[in-house]
Amino acid sequence: MSHSFSRILLPVDGSLQSKVAIDMTLLISKIFDSKVTVMHVVPNEVLSLPNRIYVPRENFAPISTATGQFPRTIIVPPTKEYLIPDEVVNEVIAGYEENGENLLSEAVSLFAKEGIIAVQKLEKQNSATDAIIEETERGNYDCVIMGNSGNEDDESDLHLGSVAAKVSNSNLTNILVTRKKADLKSIILAVDGTEKDVKAIEQTYILAKAAKSQVILVNVQEKLLSKFGQTAKDIGLEILKRTAVMLPDIEVVQKLMSGDPANSIVEEAKQDDADLVILRRGGNGRFAGLLGSVSDHVLRHATVSVLIIK
């Protein structure tokens, strides 16, 4: 049974959430002796500087815009324009590249201290998202581990950032979005009894076994008591029982819940103070849209780290 952590791509940007991703990658790569590629992308606004037109202040001219007792005057630029000199643009870009190289070197040195093979990769692209997706596809990675956002101003903001959201939607490999430092003592595995659960169960078993984690099995039925009597409850209990058998030699807690699946999983993870939630991506047949929306909602709104299994 192969695991999802042999080759890991770790995008970094120097933010607090990026440092959380580094910590998670260190933890996992120590367990599985993973090969890690640490990646940084030079911001697109820097690369586009030469295309921006600026007007110097001394070229601004006052014009009158009103008449009467209280006329007003505003400053508007004349038609004369100029580009930022190439040497200035190049100096700014070089500064960003140097900062990126320093970030990469610091991260790689952390892995080296733990005896983990890590290489660094600096990309220069207009889009950080595109660069990460292209590297994911090109490098044949088992997993991408990244912070939920690059918001250094508010480290308590745990909502999914645009780059993490787009990378997770690429559906190229497994995606682990980190939110806070964790030690993997407690893992929530959400299952619904479909065939796509199997791979998520396998990867949960491998990770929990190696990390000595407790696994909280969660199944959510929209209504436990309905016109079908106890049927929904019986189905949920059977799903949990069947899944628990697939996790031998692991401490397993089974939880059958009622309500909206997405919100229930998010709330359960928060109440249990879990370290990680594991879900599989999408579903089968007529349930594909619903199950896809569940994993997407959990990924966006959970306050703990989330691993989406492809």
Side-chain angles (χ1 to χ4, degrees):
M1 187 186 299
S2 61
H3 62 77
S4 299
F5 307 106
S6 295
R7 290 176 52 81
I8 297 174
L9 177 63
L10 171 63
V12 297
D13 60 12
S15 66
L16 293 173
Q17 289 300 323
S18 178
K19 293 174 183 176
V20 173
I22 291 174
D23 288 338
M24 177 67 81
T25 307
L26 275 166
L27 177 60
I28 290 176
S29 57
K30 283 171 66 177
I31 293 173
F32 294 104
D33 193 25
S34 312
K35 293 182 180 178
V36 179
T37 297
V38 188
M39 179 182 185
H40 177 74
V41 184
V42 174
N44 79 342
E45 63 266 21
V46 177
L47 296 178
S48 62
L49 270 175
N51 297 322
R52 296 183 179 181
I53 296 176
Y54 295 79
V55 180
R57 181 71 183 178
E58 60 267 21
N59 287 344
F60 282 31
I63 64 171
S64 177
T65 61
T67 59
Q69 186 176 3
F70 302 104
R72 294 179 301 151
T73 300
I74 63 171
I75 304 297
V76 298
T79 55
K80 182 180 178 181
E81 299 171 338
Y82 82 109
L83 292 173
I84 292 180
D86 288 341
E87 58 268 24
V88 175
V89 173
N90 292 334
E91 183 177 349
V92 172
I93 292 176
Y96 272 81
E97 290 177 358
E98 181 180 1
N99 178 64
E101 293 286 1
N102 290 336
L103 286 175
L104 293 172
S105 296
E106 290 173 7
V108 168
S109 67
L110 292 175
F111 287 96
K113 290 177 182 178
E114 301 294 337
I116 300 165
I117 299 175
V119 297
Q120 61 188 60
K121 183 180 288 287
L122 181 71
E123 288 289 336
K124 308 169 191 176
Q125 266 208 43
N126 287 347
S127 167
T129 302
D130 290 344
I132 295 169
I133 290 174
E134 289 172 14
E135 176 61 23
T136 302
E137 190 170 24
R138 183 170 56 242
N140 193 30
Y141 294 95
D142 300 302
C143 187
V144 177
I145 301 179
M146 60 191 305
N148 64 298
S149 70
N151 185 5
E152 286 194 88
D153 296 327
D154 183 9
E155 61 180 304
S156 65
D157 181 5
L158 300 176
H159 286 84
L160 198 67
S162 61
V163 174
K166 291 174 182 177
V167 172
S168 64
N169 286 333
S170 65
N171 196 26
L172 293 172
T173 189
N174 304 313
I175 304 290
L176 200 170
V177 176
T178 61
R179 284 189 164 88
K180 57 184 181 180
K181 191 171 181 178
D183 52 16
L184 296 180
K185 288 183 178 179
S186 176
I187 298 174
I188 287 181
L189 171 61
V191 293
D192 62 8
T194 61
E195 186 178 345
K196 275 204 169 184
D197 279 342
V198 174
K199 190 170 182 181
I201 295 169
E202 290 177 350
Q203 297 308 309
T204 300
Y205 175 73
I206 292 171
L207 181 57
K209 183 77 171 176
K212 297 180 174 59
S213 311
Q214 177 195 66
V215 174
I216 302 171
L217 277 181
V218 172
N219 175 260
V220 185
Q221 298 290 324
E222 291 192 27
K223 291 183 179 180
L224 293 183
L225 293 173
S226 66
K227 62 182 180 180
F228 299 105
Q230 296 295 318
T231 302
K233 180 177 181 180
D234 293 340
I235 291 173
L237 292 174
E238 177 59 30
I239 290 171
L240 292 172
K241 181 180 178 180
R242 187 169 63 243
T243 304
V245 172
M246 300 173 68
L247 300 168
D249 305 318
I250 290 176
E251 181 186 351
V252 176
V253 176
Q254 302 179 36
K255 290 194 176 184
L256 177 62
M257 305 174 67
S258 174
D260 174 72
N263 289 327
S264 297
I265 294 168
V266 170
E267 187 59 30
E268 183 65 26
K270 184 177 181 179
Q271 289 183 359
D272 289 342
D273 194 25
D275 297 309
L276 180 67
V277 174
I278 299 180
L279 297 157
R280 79 280 179 280
R281 182 188 299 274
N284 291 314
R286 63 190 179 93
F287 293 107
L290 172 63
L291 296 175
S293 66
V294 170
S295 58
D296 181 69
H297 181 92
V298 174
L299 188 65
R300 290 178 180 276
H301 298 289
T303 56
V304 304
S305 300
V306 179
L307 171 61
I308 302 294
I309 301 295
K310 182 175 182 292

